[in-house]
Amino acid sequence: MAALRWLTPRRRSATARSVLAGEASAEAARKSAEAAEAPQDSGSGTAEPEFPVHGDDRAAAFFDLDNTVMQGAAIFHFGRGLYKRKFFETRDLARFAWQQAWFRLAGFEDPEHMQDARDSALSIVKGHRVSELETIGEEIYDEYMAERIWPGTRALAQAHLDAGQKVWLVTAAPVEIAQVIARRLGLTGALGTVAESIGGVYTGKLVGEPLHGPAKAEAVRALAAAEALDLSRCAAYSDSHNDIPMLSLVGHPYAINPDSKLRKHARELEWRLRDYRTGRKAAKVGIPAAAGVGAVAGGTAAAIALHRRRR
């Protein structure tokens, strides 16, 4: 913590929470990936032969989820699925519907809207078992999320897998939901917001803070250190200017379906841009069926243990 001494108490607290959230998410992701690890299929060709580099096991790819891999926000689709299963009342659904409509129209993340959505989700799942939400997450993916995956971004992720590299989702969505999506897409695993659970039951609290903004960068940094990755050889993909800290960590940053602030920043730094919302700059790589290899739920317990050790 020596590097944090110059900060004011308030800034120190916020930075410490970001570090805690990042490390907790990285620990959860690694435990999840280890439980599901299996050989990946190798592909022979992509539209970008120079990148990703085949056989570079010190490189990996990190993908934001909302509006980068999937249209809309995962937390909102999750809320729709919970409403269908009578987890909450109609008035709460109206709030989720408004938040999702705003997100889709605005095209970028607003911290206030996202925080409200997370608070709603935490209050809804409080008292429910982690295993119950994991099972429901599988069903919700089929009902609301599968058809919203951007084919172009999915192809980019597959190119990294075909090159023999690991691919991680990095999202503010609950880690259990993120891991379901990663597994269904055949990715290695997921870094996500870790909700506290005791005895397999959600308490309605978070470990650290939501995995958003600087916390994402901390999670990627922690995972890279644990996996012996060279960040200068890694890639990151996002649509939001909130993820500039994460994108700035890697040697190959991509702006995918970027908001106006990220688009401007990416152009200034000559980062690569891809926009799949209008079909522009579509990836020319194939989209093989998901290999079915990747993360499984269950990382929360490891993250909670890490949190308790740091107290």
Side-chain angles (χ1 to χ4, degrees):
M1 298 296 289
L4 304 181
R5 289 174 184 168
W6 62 274
L7 297 173
T8 63
R10 179 174 295 180
R11 283 193 170 184
R12 183 184 304 123
S13 177
T15 302
R17 289 196 302 271
S18 292
V19 173
L20 173 60
E23 291 186 354
S25 185
E27 180 74 4
R30 290 192 70 243
K31 291 291 185 181
S32 174
E34 287 171 2
E37 190 170 358
Q40 299 280 348
D41 281 337
S42 296
S44 58
T46 70
E48 298 180 0
E50 296 180 0
F51 183 80
V53 178
H54 286 253
D56 186 355
D57 59 5
R58 295 199 64 199
F62 303 94
F63 284 79
D64 169 57
L65 176 58
D66 296 344
N67 215 36
T68 301
V69 171
M70 181 176 68
Q71 299 176 49
I75 190 75
F76 301 136
H77 298 314
F78 185 56
R80 293 175 63 194
L82 293 182
Y83 171 76
K84 179 180 178 180
R85 291 159 178 81
K86 303 186 185 301
F87 271 66
F88 55 91
E89 303 298 325
T90 303
R91 64 178 179 273
D92 298 306
L93 179 65
R95 186 197 307 173
F96 272 102
W98 157 243
Q99 291 165 337
Q100 172 66 0
W102 188 94
F103 181 85
R104 290 174 67 88
L105 289 172
F108 63 90
E109 300 171 1
D110 178 84
E112 184 177 347
H113 281 76
M114 300 301 288
Q115 183 64 52
D116 187 35
R118 284 187 289 269
D119 290 344
S120 299
L122 284 170
S123 65
I124 289 166
V125 302
K126 181 179 179 179
H128 288 276
R129 298 197 66 81
V130 174
S131 58
E132 177 186 10
L133 270 294
E134 292 169 352
T135 299
I136 290 174
E138 295 278 356
E139 299 170 358
I140 291 175
Y141 177 84
D142 290 325
E143 292 169 3
Y144 299 112
M145 299 178 182
E147 66 182 9
R148 290 176 169 83
I149 301 299
W150 290 108
T153 312
R154 176 68 187 89
L156 292 173
Q158 188 63 45
H160 285 279
L161 293 172
D162 289 344
Q165 298 175 5
K166 293 183 177 181
V167 178
W168 305 84
L169 290 181
V170 188
T171 174
V175 68
E176 293 84 5
I177 303 305
Q179 289 169 348
V180 167
I181 297 170
R183 183 180 59 78
R184 297 296 288 272
L185 293 178
L187 309 183
T188 307
L191 298 148
T193 297
V194 180
E196 183 182 64
S197 64
I198 297 177
V201 177
Y202 289 112
T203 66
K205 300 178 182 179
L206 293 181
V207 176
E209 63 180 24
L211 201 71
H212 186 266
K216 280 190 178 182
E218 292 293 345
V220 169
R221 196 191 309 274
L223 184 61
E227 295 275 315
L229 299 174
D230 181 348
L231 285 171
S232 69
R233 290 145 71 172
C234 292
Y237 302 78
S238 178
D239 72 297
S240 174
H241 69 279
N242 294 312
D243 288 338
I244 288 176
M246 177 181 74
L247 293 169
S248 299
L249 279 180
V250 301
H252 301 278
Y254 278 77
I256 304 293
N257 306 327
D259 61 33
S260 59
K261 290 183 179 179
L262 177 59
R263 183 181 293 275
K264 179 181 179 182
H265 187 85
R267 284 175 172 168
E268 289 175 351
L269 296 184
E270 298 184 346
W271 290 354
R272 298 179 184 180
L273 289 89
R274 299 289 178 88
D275 198 325
Y276 301 121
R277 292 168 295 190
T278 61
R280 291 175 292 167
K281 301 177 182 178
K284 297 180 181 179
V285 295
I287 311 175
V293 178
V296 296
T300 299
I304 298 300
L306 173 65
H307 175 52
R308 288 172 176 165
R309 287 199 302 270
R310 295 177 66 89
R311 285 180 175 176

